[in-house]
Amino acid sequence: MLPELTPEALHARLQSGENLQLIDVRQPEEYAFCRIEGSILIPLGELASRADEVPDDRPVVLICHHGVRSMQALAYLQHRHEHTNLLNLRGGIDAWSRRVDASVALY
């Protein structure tokens, strides 16, 4: 089982001021349409060439539309780059929009 957190847990951690890095692995057009404030875009297809941009000194939350691509990204970074600081946003930005921040557009 790969490490996940719920949208509510992510919201609580952000509200507490925890130093998290949010990485969105969706496509640029998806990211342009809606995103969680403070996230950076590294599309899944670019992750192998941009893995050095993923910090290993603080928790990193990986985000996609429903949590599938971000789980793939997490597995890749764990197994190929030995990251141990990764969390997947369960349900992705869709769950975030529905359960935490309705101002983030649904698609």
Side-chain angles (χ1 to χ4, degrees):
M1 189 78 175
L2 297 171
E4 292 187 299
L5 79 164
T6 65
E8 295 84 0
L10 173 58
H11 184 256
R13 290 174 77 165
L14 290 170
Q15 290 297 309
S16 75
E18 187 172 344
N19 185 20
L20 301 171
Q21 176 64 65
L22 307 179
I23 297 179
D24 196 315
V25 299
R26 297 174 300 147
Q27 291 300 304
E29 58 275 10
E30 292 174 286
Y31 183 80
F33 184 71
C34 67
R35 64 188 157 279
I36 298 174
E37 192 66 36
S39 64
I40 63 165
L41 177 65
I42 303 178
L44 184 59
E46 297 177 14
L47 192 59
S49 64
R50 296 178 60 189
D52 61 332
E53 296 177 41
V54 179
D56 59 6
D57 62 344
R58 59 186 161 145
V60 173
V61 180
L62 297 161
I63 302 162
C64 69
H65 190 202
H66 288 113
V68 176
R69 286 175 282 177
S70 52
M71 189 62 78
Q72 292 172 334
L74 189 147
Y76 169 79
L77 290 166
Q78 272 189 344
H79 298 299
R80 295 289 178 108
H81 296 274
E82 300 179 355
H83 281 271
T84 59
N85 59 322
L86 307 170
L87 296 161
N88 183 55
L89 179 60
R90 186 182 310 149
I93 197 163
D94 183 78
W96 176 268
S97 298
R98 293 178 192 279
R99 295 165 38 188
V100 173
D101 186 355
S103 73
V104 175
L106 290 166
Y107 65 101

